[in-house]
């Protein structure tokens, strides 16, 4: 496999790539935020509640897309430009089958219309399929194109819904527009990925690898949302609302340094432990800065996240930001374990989730600081365990074809293609 460079490898290339991916991430999250904001202005309360529920279901279904992207990126970085069509097809088919079974049941239990869940299913399947092309771009370290692909997928996933709501299409109209643009964007991603090529002798990506990455992504989602769900279950309405505002800080600290993992993953797949140390250092620095900001301006943070009514809850801001910062480290470590082809990399996350739920149900005080403190402790223990497991495991041997290509193109140091 030949890794081409556009002349911007090294620190300058990484800076450009990181900036582009960061902007793409901001754009994705911004569009995702606009959907419920517009929904609140254009839908009645019943339809707004349905929209929020559908978005949550779509996020769960979209886990398969992230798992596919990670698996493809790791395999491509380690083994070269192997064919990925078969595992992609299997992932899409399994996702579609699960949606065909689960969405009708959800429609009955959550009072959703058949049309809405059908359109959500189409949108979700398209998003899952897109994970293949994003993974290929990430594995080839074509980060500028990856940023473009992320932006395109956001336009397909959320832009259509935004347009549908803004034009007065209502719930069904917005979902129809979102489903249409999500399918349309697949063709654009294929074109964006032109020149990727296929190496017919490269080892094929196993479907089991996709399942492992998907399970790790799902576990990360579950463990980081468990406290919010338990707060809604055990806290009174006012306290539950304050807790929901606090989790905005958690998610901000968790996802703010996501670009580091995106850039590092291809190198982690080739067993580069220095990259893992550097990635952890950068994410830890980001987390420390956010925790310090929460300590100094917690009231302002809660005010910005939820309005002036929640400013007094700022004294708990450090708990939420700290949990998010620790889970950001876990996110890097879990991706490193997936890249190392570890067995059951999601195991510690599921165990942590079960222990946290048991503790909240039995011994943790049902207060905002009680549950938030328990979440912080859980995040710290999970980070410690996953860190030990990540550094104790020896990285898998690098594929011979990849080693040879890296030597030929860079004199043994490796390159990054940022186009």
């Amino acid at each position: 496999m030949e890794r081409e460079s556009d002349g911007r490898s090294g620190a300058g290339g990484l800076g450009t790539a990181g900036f582009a991916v960061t902007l793409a991430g901001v754009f994705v999250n911004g569009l995702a935020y606009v959907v419920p904001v517009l929904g609140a202005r254009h839908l009645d309360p019943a339809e707004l509640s349905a929209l929020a529920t559908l978005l949550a279901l779509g996020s769960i279904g979209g886990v398969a897309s992230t798992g596919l992207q990670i698996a493809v990126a790791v395999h491509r970085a380690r083994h070269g430009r192997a064919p990925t069509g078969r595992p992609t097809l299997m992932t899409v088919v399994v996702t579609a089958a699960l949606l065909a079974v689960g969405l009708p049941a959800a429609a009955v239990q959550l009072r959703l219309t058949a049309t809405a869940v059908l359109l959500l299913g189409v949108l979700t399947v398209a998003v899952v399929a897109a994970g293949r092309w994003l993974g290929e771009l990430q594995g080839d370290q074509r980060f500028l194109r990856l940023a473009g692909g992320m932006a395109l997928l956001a336009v397909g996933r959320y832009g259509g819904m935004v347009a549908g709501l803004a034009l007065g299409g209502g719930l069904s109209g917005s979902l129809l527009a979102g489903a249409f643009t999500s399918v349309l964007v697949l063709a654009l991603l294929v074109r964006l990925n032109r020149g990727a090529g296929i190496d017919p002798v490269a080892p094929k990506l196993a479907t089991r690898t996709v399942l492992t990455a998907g399970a790790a992504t799902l576990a990360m989602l579950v463990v980081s949302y468990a406290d919010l769900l338990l707060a809604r279950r055990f806290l009174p309405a006012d306290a539950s609302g304050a807790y929901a505002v606090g989790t905005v800080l958690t998610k901000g600290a968790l996802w703010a340094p996501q670009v580091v993992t995106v850039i590092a993953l291809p190198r982690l797949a080739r067993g580069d432990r220095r990259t893992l140390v550097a990635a952890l250092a950068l994410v830890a620095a980001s987390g420390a800065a956010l925790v310090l900001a929460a300590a100094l301006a917690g009231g302002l943070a809660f005010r910005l996240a939820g309005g002036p009514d929640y400013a007094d809850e700022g004294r708990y801001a450090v708990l939420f930001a700290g949990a998010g910062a620790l889970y950001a480290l876990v996110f890097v470590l879990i991706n490193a374990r997936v890249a190392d082809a570890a067995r059951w990399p999601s195991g510690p996350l599921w165990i942590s989730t079960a222990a946290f739920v048991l503790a909240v149900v039995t011994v943790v005080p049902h207060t905002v600081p009680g549950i938030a403190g328990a979440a912080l402790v859980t995040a710290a223990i999970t980070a410690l365990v996953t860190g030990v497991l990540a550094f104790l495991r020896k990285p898998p041997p690098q594929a011979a074809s990849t080693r040879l290509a890296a030597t030929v193109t860079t004199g043994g140091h490796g390159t990054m293609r940022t186009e």
Side-chain angles (χ1 to χ4, degrees):
M1 177 186 66
E2 181 180 352
R3 289 187 178 276
E4 303 174 13
S5 173
D6 65 354
R8 290 176 290 181
S9 59
L14 282 174
T16 302
F19 182 70
V21 174
T22 299
L23 283 182
V26 171
F27 179 69
V28 171
N29 292 326
L31 272 185
Y33 177 75
V34 169
V35 174
V37 170
L38 275 181
R41 288 159 173 76
H42 293 276
L43 302 177
D44 61 43
E47 286 191 326
L48 178 60
S49 177
L51 175 64
T53 302
L54 289 163
L55 290 174
L57 293 174
S59 296
I60 295 172
V63 165
S65 178
T66 306
L68 179 62
Q69 178 181 338
I70 292 172
V72 170
V74 167
H75 189 83
R76 206 167 175 91
R78 186 184 300 148
H79 298 293
R81 296 176 174 178
T84 56
R86 187 173 183 274
T88 299
L89 179 60
M90 288 293 296
T91 304
V92 170
V93 169
V94 170
T95 301
L98 292 175
L99 290 173
V101 173
L103 286 181
V108 174
Q109 296 297 322
L110 302 174
R111 301 186 301 278
L112 302 171
T113 66
T115 300
V117 296
L118 175 62
L119 293 172
L120 176 69
V122 174
L123 186 155
T124 303
V125 168
V127 169
V128 171
R132 169 191 175 177
W133 290 283
L134 295 181
E136 290 181 354
L137 291 170
Q138 185 179 1
D140 288 343
Q141 301 185 74
R142 305 168 79 184
F143 290 119
L144 293 184
R145 293 199 179 202
L146 174 62
M150 292 168 59
L152 281 174
L153 183 59
V155 170
R157 187 175 187 176
Y158 301 116
M161 298 180 69
V162 168
L165 288 168
L167 294 174
L171 179 62
S172 297
S174 66
L175 289 170
L176 178 61
F180 176 77
T181 52
S182 295
V183 173
L184 179 63
V185 82
L186 293 180
L188 299 177
L189 287 176
V190 173
R191 180 166 180 78
L192 185 68
N193 206 20
R194 66 185 183 277
I198 293 294
D199 181 1
V201 300
K204 294 182 178 180
L205 172 62
T207 303
R208 178 178 59 82
T209 304
V210 180
L211 294 175
T212 299
T217 305
L218 178 61
M220 191 69 227
L221 186 70
V222 170
V223 74
S224 62
Y225 274 96
D227 63 324
L228 175 63
L229 299 177
L230 290 174
R232 180 169 177 80
R233 169 66 178 83
F234 291 109
L235 297 183
D238 290 347
S240 177
Y243 201 98
V245 173
T247 58
V248 174
L249 305 184
T250 303
K251 299 304 175 287
L254 170 58
W255 299 117
Q258 184 183 17
V259 60
V260 176
T261 306
V262 173
I263 300 295
L265 185 62
R267 294 172 183 242
L268 294 177
R270 294 195 295 275
D272 189 342
R273 287 304 173 92
R274 288 182 301 176
T275 295
L276 176 58
V277 173
L280 289 172
L282 287 171
V283 171
S286 171
L290 292 171
V291 170
L292 178 61
L296 296 176
L300 176 62
F302 264 75
R303 181 188 295 271
L304 293 175
D309 292 342
Y310 296 99
D312 291 342
E313 306 297 331
R315 60 189 183 277
Y316 305 130
V318 170
L319 298 177
F320 291 101
L326 288 167
Y327 278 130
L329 292 173
V330 173
F331 188 73
V332 176
L333 292 165
I334 288 297
N335 274 269
R337 297 202 70 215
V338 172
D340 282 349
R343 291 180 62 86
W344 306 110
S346 60
L349 301 185
W350 294 118
I351 294 173
S352 294
T353 303
F356 173 67
V357 172
L358 180 62
V360 171
V361 171
T362 56
V363 298
V364 171
H366 292 166
T367 62
V368 170
I371 296 178
L376 178 63
V377 172
T378 301
I381 294 174
T382 305
L384 177 62
V385 172
T386 52
V388 170
L389 292 174
F391 280 99
L392 285 181
R393 179 178 173 81
K394 293 181 179 180
Q398 190 176 350
S401 60
T402 304
R403 291 197 304 269
L404 178 60
T407 303
V408 170
T409 55
T410 69
H413 297 291
T415 67
M416 177 189 66
R417 180 176 180 177
T418 61
E419 68 167 87

Short mmCIF file of all heavy atoms in Angstrom, two decimals, residues 257-300:
data_model
loop_
_atom_site.label_atom_id
_atom_site.label_comp_id
_atom_site.label_asym_id
_atom_site.label_seq_id
_atom_site.Cartn_x
_atom_site.Cartn_y
_atom_site.Cartn_z
N PRO A 257 -12.27 17.18 23.06
CA PRO A 257 -11.00 16.74 22.46
C PRO A 257 -11.13 15.53 21.52
O PRO A 257 -10.16 14.82 21.28
CB PRO A 257 -10.17 16.36 23.70
CG PRO A 257 -11.20 15.84 24.66
CD PRO A 257 -12.47 16.61 24.39
N GLN A 258 -12.33 15.30 20.98
CA GLN A 258 -12.56 14.12 20.14
C GLN A 258 -11.62 14.09 18.93
O GLN A 258 -11.23 13.03 18.45
CB GLN A 258 -14.01 14.09 19.67
CG GLN A 258 -14.38 12.86 18.87
CD GLN A 258 -15.81 12.92 18.36
OE1 GLN A 258 -16.42 13.99 18.33
NE2 GLN A 258 -16.35 11.78 17.98
N VAL A 259 -11.24 15.27 18.45
CA VAL A 259 -10.37 15.34 17.28
C VAL A 259 -9.06 14.61 17.52
O VAL A 259 -8.47 14.04 16.60
CB VAL A 259 -10.12 16.81 16.90
CG1 VAL A 259 -9.46 17.57 18.03
CG2 VAL A 259 -9.25 16.91 15.64
N VAL A 260 -8.58 14.60 18.77
CA VAL A 260 -7.32 13.93 19.08
C VAL A 260 -7.42 12.44 18.75
O VAL A 260 -6.51 11.86 18.14
CB VAL A 260 -6.95 14.14 20.56
CG1 VAL A 260 -5.70 13.36 20.91
CG2 VAL A 260 -6.76 15.62 20.85
N THR A 261 -8.51 11.82 19.14
CA THR A 261 -8.70 10.40 18.88
C THR A 261 -8.83 10.12 17.39
O THR A 261 -8.29 9.14 16.88
CB THR A 261 -9.94 9.88 19.62
OG1 THR A 261 -9.84 10.21 21.01
CG2 THR A 261 -10.07 8.37 19.49
N VAL A 262 -9.53 10.99 16.69
CA VAL A 262 -9.70 10.81 15.24
C VAL A 262 -8.35 10.82 14.54
O VAL A 262 -8.06 9.97 13.69
CB VAL A 262 -10.60 11.93 14.66
CG1 VAL A 262 -10.64 11.86 13.14
CG2 VAL A 262 -12.01 11.80 15.22
N ILE A 263 -7.49 11.77 14.90
CA ILE A 263 -6.18 11.88 14.27
C ILE A 263 -5.26 10.74 14.69
O ILE A 263 -4.48 10.22 13.90
CB ILE A 263 -5.52 13.24 14.63
CG1 ILE A 263 -6.39 14.41 14.16
CG2 ILE A 263 -4.12 13.34 14.04
CD1 ILE A 263 -6.54 14.52 12.67
N ALA A 264 -5.36 10.33 15.95
CA ALA A 264 -4.43 9.33 16.49
C ALA A 264 -4.76 7.90 16.07
O ALA A 264 -3.85 7.05 16.00
CB ALA A 264 -4.41 9.41 18.02
N LEU A 265 -6.02 7.60 15.80
CA LEU A 265 -6.44 6.21 15.61
C LEU A 265 -5.62 5.45 14.55
O LEU A 265 -5.21 4.31 14.82
CB LEU A 265 -7.93 6.15 15.27
CG LEU A 265 -8.53 4.75 15.16
CD1 LEU A 265 -8.42 4.00 16.49
CD2 LEU A 265 -10.00 4.82 14.72
N PRO A 266 -5.37 6.00 13.35
CA PRO A 266 -4.58 5.23 12.38
C PRO A 266 -3.19 4.87 12.89
O PRO A 266 -2.68 3.78 12.60
CB PRO A 266 -4.50 6.17 11.16
CG PRO A 266 -5.69 7.06 11.29
CD PRO A 266 -5.85 7.27 12.77
N ARG A 267 -2.57 5.76 13.64
CA ARG A 267 -1.24 5.47 14.18
C ARG A 267 -1.33 4.46 15.33
O ARG A 267 -0.44 3.63 15.50
CB ARG A 267 -0.58 6.77 14.65
CG ARG A 267 -0.28 7.73 13.50
CD ARG A 267 0.20 9.08 14.01
NE ARG A 267 0.40 9.99 12.89
CZ ARG A 267 1.56 10.53 12.56
NH1 ARG A 267 2.64 10.26 13.28
NH2 ARG A 267 1.66 11.35 11.54
N LEU A 268 -2.39 4.53 16.11
CA LEU A 268 -2.59 3.53 17.17
C LEU A 268 -2.76 2.14 16.56
O LEU A 268 -2.32 1.15 17.14
CB LEU A 268 -3.82 3.90 18.00
CG LEU A 268 -3.75 5.18 18.83
CD1 LEU A 268 -5.08 5.43 19.53
CD2 LEU A 268 -2.62 5.12 19.84
N ALA A 269 -3.39 2.07 15.41
CA ALA A 269 -3.60 0.78 14.75
C ALA A 269 -2.29 0.15 14.31
O ALA A 269 -2.22 -1.07 14.11
CB ALA A 269 -4.52 0.96 13.54
N ARG A 270 -1.24 0.95 14.17
CA ARG A 270 0.06 0.42 13.79
C ARG A 270 0.98 0.27 14.99
O ARG A 270 2.20 0.16 14.85
CB ARG A 270 0.70 1.31 12.72
CG ARG A 270 -0.07 1.30 11.41
CD ARG A 270 0.75 1.88 10.27
NE ARG A 270 1.03 3.30 10.45
CZ ARG A 270 0.20 4.28 10.09
NH1 ARG A 270 -0.98 3.98 9.55
NH2 ARG A 270 0.53 5.53 10.27
N GLY A 271 0.37 0.27 16.20
CA GLY A 271 1.13 -0.03 17.41
C GLY A 271 2.03 1.09 17.89
O GLY A 271 3.01 0.84 18.59
N ASP A 272 1.72 2.34 17.58
CA ASP A 272 2.54 3.47 17.98
C ASP A 272 2.16 3.92 19.39
O ASP A 272 1.20 4.66 19.58
CB ASP A 272 2.35 4.62 16.98
CG ASP A 272 3.34 5.77 17.20
OD1 ASP A 272 3.92 5.83 18.30
OD2 ASP A 272 3.50 6.59 16.28
N ARG A 273 2.92 3.47 20.39
CA ARG A 273 2.60 3.79 21.77
C ARG A 273 2.91 5.25 22.11
O ARG A 273 2.31 5.82 23.01
CB ARG A 273 3.37 2.85 22.72
CG ARG A 273 2.79 1.43 22.73
CD ARG A 273 1.32 1.48 23.08
NE ARG A 273 0.68 0.19 22.94
CZ ARG A 273 0.55 -0.69 23.91
NH1 ARG A 273 1.06 -0.44 25.10
NH2 ARG A 273 -0.07 -1.84 23.70
N ARG A 274 3.86 5.85 21.41
CA ARG A 274 4.13 7.27 21.65
C ARG A 274 2.92 8.12 21.29
O ARG A 274 2.63 9.13 21.95
CB ARG A 274 5.35 7.72 20.86
CG ARG A 274 6.67 7.16 21.39
CD ARG A 274 7.85 7.67 20.58
NE ARG A 274 7.74 7.30 19.17
CZ ARG A 274 8.60 7.69 18.23
NH1 ARG A 274 9.61 8.47 18.54
NH2 ARG A 274 8.44 7.29 16.98
N THR A 275 2.21 7.70 20.23
CA THR A 275 1.00 8.42 19.86
C THR A 275 -0.05 8.30 20.95
O THR A 275 -0.76 9.27 21.25
CB THR A 275 0.45 7.88 18.53
OG1 THR A 275 1.39 8.17 17.48
CG2 THR A 275 -0.89 8.51 18.18
N LEU A 276 -0.16 7.12 21.56
CA LEU A 276 -1.13 6.94 22.65
C LEU A 276 -0.80 7.84 23.82
O LEU A 276 -1.69 8.50 24.39
CB LEU A 276 -1.15 5.47 23.10
CG LEU A 276 -2.05 5.13 24.29
CD1 LEU A 276 -3.49 5.53 24.01
CD2 LEU A 276 -1.95 3.65 24.64
N VAL A 277 0.47 7.90 24.19
CA VAL A 277 0.87 8.77 25.31
C VAL A 277 0.59 10.23 24.97
O VAL A 277 0.07 10.99 25.81
CB VAL A 277 2.37 8.56 25.63
CG1 VAL A 277 2.84 9.58 26.67
CG2 VAL A 277 2.62 7.15 26.13
N ALA A 278 0.94 10.63 23.74
CA ALA A 278 0.70 12.02 23.34
C ALA A 278 -0.79 12.35 23.32
O ALA A 278 -1.21 13.43 23.76
CB ALA A 278 1.31 12.27 21.96
N ALA A 279 -1.61 11.41 22.81
CA ALA A 279 -3.05 11.63 22.76
C ALA A 279 -3.63 11.78 24.16
O ALA A 279 -4.46 12.67 24.43
CB ALA A 279 -3.74 10.48 22.02
N LEU A 280 -3.20 10.92 25.08
CA LEU A 280 -3.69 11.00 26.45
C LEU A 280 -3.27 12.31 27.11
O LEU A 280 -4.03 12.92 27.86
CB LEU A 280 -3.17 9.80 27.26
CG LEU A 280 -3.78 8.45 26.91
CD1 LEU A 280 -3.03 7.33 27.65
CD2 LEU A 280 -5.26 8.40 27.27
N ALA A 281 -2.05 12.75 26.81
CA ALA A 281 -1.58 14.01 27.39
C ALA A 281 -2.40 15.19 26.88
O ALA A 281 -2.79 16.08 27.66
CB ALA A 281 -0.10 14.21 27.05
N LEU A 282 -2.69 15.21 25.59
CA LEU A 282 -3.48 16.30 25.03
C LEU A 282 -4.90 16.31 25.59
O LEU A 282 -5.44 17.36 25.94
CB LEU A 282 -3.53 16.17 23.50
CG LEU A 282 -2.23 16.52 22.77
CD1 LEU A 282 -2.35 16.14 21.30
CD2 LEU A 282 -1.91 18.00 22.90
N VAL A 283 -5.51 15.12 25.67
CA VAL A 283 -6.88 15.03 26.18
C VAL A 283 -6.90 15.39 27.67
O VAL A 283 -7.83 16.07 28.14
CB VAL A 283 -7.44 13.62 25.94
CG1 VAL A 283 -8.78 13.43 26.65
CG2 VAL A 283 -7.62 13.37 24.45
N ALA A 284 -5.89 14.95 28.41
CA ALA A 284 -5.82 15.29 29.83
C ALA A 284 -5.67 16.79 30.02
O ALA A 284 -6.28 17.39 30.93
CB ALA A 284 -4.66 14.55 30.49
N ALA A 285 -4.86 17.43 29.17
CA ALA A 285 -4.69 18.88 29.27
C ALA A 285 -6.00 19.60 28.98
O ALA A 285 -6.35 20.57 29.66
CB ALA A 285 -3.60 19.33 28.31
N SER A 286 -6.71 19.14 27.95
CA SER A 286 -8.02 19.73 27.64
C SER A 286 -8.98 19.57 28.80
O SER A 286 -9.67 20.51 29.20
CB SER A 286 -8.59 19.07 26.37
OG SER A 286 -9.94 19.47 26.16
N GLY A 287 -9.01 18.37 29.37
CA GLY A 287 -9.90 18.12 30.50
C GLY A 287 -9.55 18.97 31.71
O GLY A 287 -10.44 19.51 32.39
N ALA A 288 -8.25 19.10 31.99
CA ALA A 288 -7.83 19.91 33.14
C ALA A 288 -8.25 21.37 32.97
O ALA A 288 -8.70 22.03 33.92
CB ALA A 288 -6.31 19.80 33.31
N ALA A 289 -8.12 21.87 31.74
CA ALA A 289 -8.51 23.26 31.48
C ALA A 289 -10.01 23.45 31.68
O ALA A 289 -10.45 24.46 32.26
CB ALA A 289 -8.11 23.66 30.06
N LEU A 290 -10.80 22.48 31.22
CA LEU A 290 -12.25 22.60 31.35
C LEU A 290 -12.69 22.46 32.81
O LEU A 290 -13.61 23.15 33.26
CB LEU A 290 -12.94 21.55 30.49
CG LEU A 290 -12.80 21.77 28.98
CD1 LEU A 290 -13.32 20.56 28.20
CD2 LEU A 290 -13.54 23.02 28.55
N VAL A 291 -12.03 21.57 33.56
CA VAL A 291 -12.36 21.42 34.98
C VAL A 291 -12.00 22.69 35.74
O VAL A 291 -12.75 23.15 36.61
CB VAL A 291 -11.63 20.20 35.57
CG1 VAL A 291 -11.77 20.17 37.09
CG2 VAL A 291 -12.19 18.91 34.98
N LEU A 292 -10.85 23.28 35.41
CA LEU A 292 -10.45 24.53 36.06
C LEU A 292 -11.45 25.64 35.75
O LEU A 292 -11.84 26.42 36.64
CB LEU A 292 -9.06 24.94 35.59
CG LEU A 292 -8.51 26.26 36.15
CD1 LEU A 292 -8.40 26.19 37.67
CD2 LEU A 292 -7.15 26.58 35.54
N ALA A 293 -11.89 25.70 34.49
CA ALA A 293 -12.89 26.70 34.11
C ALA A 293 -14.19 26.48 34.88
O ALA A 293 -14.84 27.44 35.32
CB ALA A 293 -13.14 26.65 32.61
N ALA A 294 -14.58 25.21 35.05
CA ALA A 294 -15.80 24.90 35.81
C ALA A 294 -15.66 25.30 37.26
O ALA A 294 -16.62 25.78 37.89
CB ALA A 294 -16.12 23.41 35.69
N ALA A 295 -14.45 25.13 37.81
CA ALA A 295 -14.23 25.50 39.22
C ALA A 295 -14.28 27.01 39.41
O ALA A 295 -14.78 27.50 40.42
CB ALA A 295 -12.88 24.96 39.68
N LEU A 296 -13.78 27.75 38.43
CA LEU A 296 -13.73 29.20 38.56
C LEU A 296 -15.02 29.89 38.14
O LEU A 296 -15.34 30.97 38.64
CB LEU A 296 -12.57 29.75 37.71
CG LEU A 296 -11.15 29.31 38.13
CD1 LEU A 296 -10.13 29.84 37.15
CD2 LEU A 296 -10.85 29.78 39.54
N ALA A 297 -15.75 29.26 37.22
CA ALA A 297 -16.95 29.92 36.69
C ALA A 297 -18.09 28.92 36.52
O ALA A 297 -18.75 28.88 35.48
CB ALA A 297 -16.63 30.60 35.35
N GLY A 298 -18.33 28.13 37.56
CA GLY A 298 -19.38 27.12 37.49
C GLY A 298 -20.76 27.72 37.32
O GLY A 298 -21.58 27.22 36.55
N GLY A 299 -21.02 28.82 38.03
CA GLY A 299 -22.32 29.47 37.91
C GLY A 299 -22.58 29.97 36.50
O GLY A 299 -23.68 29.81 35.96
N LEU A 300 -21.55 30.56 35.90
CA LEU A 300 -21.69 31.04 34.52
C LEU A 300 -21.92 29.88 33.56
O LEU A 300 -22.73 29.97 32.64
CB LEU A 300 -20.44 31.82 34.12
CG LEU A 300 -20.38 32.31 32.68
CD1 LEU A 300 -21.53 33.28 32.40
CD2 LEU A 300 -19.04 32.98 32.39
#
